[in-house]
Amino acid sequence: MMLDWKPKRPDMLIDPFGIGKIVQDGLVFRQNFSIRSYEIGADQTASIETVMNHLQETALNHVGSAGLLVDGFGSTPEMCKKNLIWVVTRMQVVVDRYPTW
């Protein structure tokens, strides 16, 4: 049985496998996530840790969709030859509104 995963309307963003897709003429990588009950606080909003975990997952899936993911750490083939991996040491995130459950 073939799985028909194509969108019914071209303007709809559908990501049936949770991998994400490149949109807006190749300028944006978009991935949808569900916020789970254990990722929220008493105010029913996601924590900064949850947001950062989803951003990291999206970044790796973006690299993978571009064909550069080699070992699961986001390393390119050339980086693997030199035993290198990506390491983010500092990040500044400004949150206007946290996702809610």
Side-chain angles (χ1 to χ4, degrees), residues 46-70:
S47 65
I48 189 65
E49 180 183 12
T50 296
V51 172
M52 297 306 296
N53 285 338
H54 288 307
L55 287 173
Q56 181 176 353
E57 183 75 18
T58 300
L60 285 175
N61 288 337
H62 182 203
V63 172
S65 72
L68 297 175
L69 187 65
V70 174

Side-chain angles (χ1 to χ4, degrees), residues 20-90:
K21 67 186 292 182
I22 296 177
V23 296
Q24 295 182 7
D25 296 325
L27 300 176
V28 174
F29 183 82
R30 178 176 291 170
Q31 183 170 1
N32 293 327
F33 287 97
S34 293
I35 302 298
R36 293 168 176 81
S37 61
Y38 56 84
E39 295 176 318
I40 62 169
D43 59 355
Q44 294 188 347
T45 62
S47 65
I48 189 65
E49 180 183 12
T50 296
V51 172
M52 297 306 296
N53 285 338
H54 288 307
L55 287 173
Q56 181 176 353
E57 183 75 18
T58 300
L60 285 175
N61 288 337
H62 182 203
V63 172
S65 72
L68 297 175
L69 187 65
V70 174
D71 62 0
F73 288 106
S75 298
T76 64
E78 194 61 34
M79 290 172 68
C80 282
K81 290 177 189 174
K82 298 177 181 178
N83 292 323
L84 299 173
I85 63 170
W86 285 105
V87 176
V88 177
T89 59
R90 184 178 300 171

